[in-house]
Amino acid sequence: MRRITAYIILSLAAATFWACSNFETSGNGDFGGFWQLEQVDTLATGGITDMHNDLIFWAVQHRLIELQCRQTNAASDGLLHLSVFYHFERSGDTLRFLADPLPVLDLRPEDPYAELNRVTPYGLSRIDETFVILSLDSDHMTMQSELLRLHFRKY
């Protein structure tokens, strides 16, 4: 009886380990997770903008980035939470946002610049922005586009 019980326990343990090893992973490494935009540097002028209080976040999972704004809105007496979703491609130290962001909230549909206006608060200067990742570890990330350098901390 002990042999049968031990065999069943070992079989269940082996099946559990085998099942867990078949989960798909994103391969994003340190890039995956929740990042807070801390600082934006304008390359042309050398200007530096502190973004700590703006509560801008990038949530990265698999091939999807959610750009979030979590600011307090005095008019609504609550938290203003605006999001835009992007698909992206990452190859080595290059991050490319694919065109056509997926808005959660349409801010100004009548505005011809609505798409661009929707993403500029998050550190993008174009709809299909490309960044070079200058540094990336488990706590901090710095990336640069043609116009801006963005500094993040892992949240």
Side-chain angles (χ1 to χ4, degrees), residues 4-65:
I4 293 174
T5 303
Y7 177 74
I8 291 171
I9 291 172
L10 286 175
S11 297
L12 288 173
T16 301
F17 289 123
W18 178 80
C20 290
S21 69
N22 285 328
F23 284 121
E24 183 178 329
T25 60
S26 68
N28 285 330
D30 287 336
F31 182 61
F34 201 62
W35 296 92
Q36 182 181 9
L37 182 60
E38 293 188 304
Q39 178 180 311
V40 176
D41 304 339
T42 305
L43 300 177
T45 64
I48 297 172
T49 304
D50 182 4
M51 301 292 291
H52 284 93
N53 295 328
D54 291 327
L55 300 177
I56 301 293
F57 296 93
W58 289 17
V60 179
Q61 185 174 355
H62 198 56
R63 296 286 172 237
L64 191 68
I65 293 180

Side-chain angles (χ1 to χ4, degrees), residues 67 84-86 98-122 124-128:
L67 309 177
V84 177
F85 288 86
Y86 260 102
L98 303 178
D100 299 327
L102 311 165
V104 172
L105 177 63
D106 194 2
L107 300 177
R108 290 173 282 224
E110 71 283 350
D111 183 353
Y113 298 102
E115 292 297 315
L116 183 57
N117 291 338
R118 185 179 291 125
V119 299
T120 53
Y122 303 105
L124 279 70
S125 54
R126 298 189 335 218
I127 297 294
D128 58 346

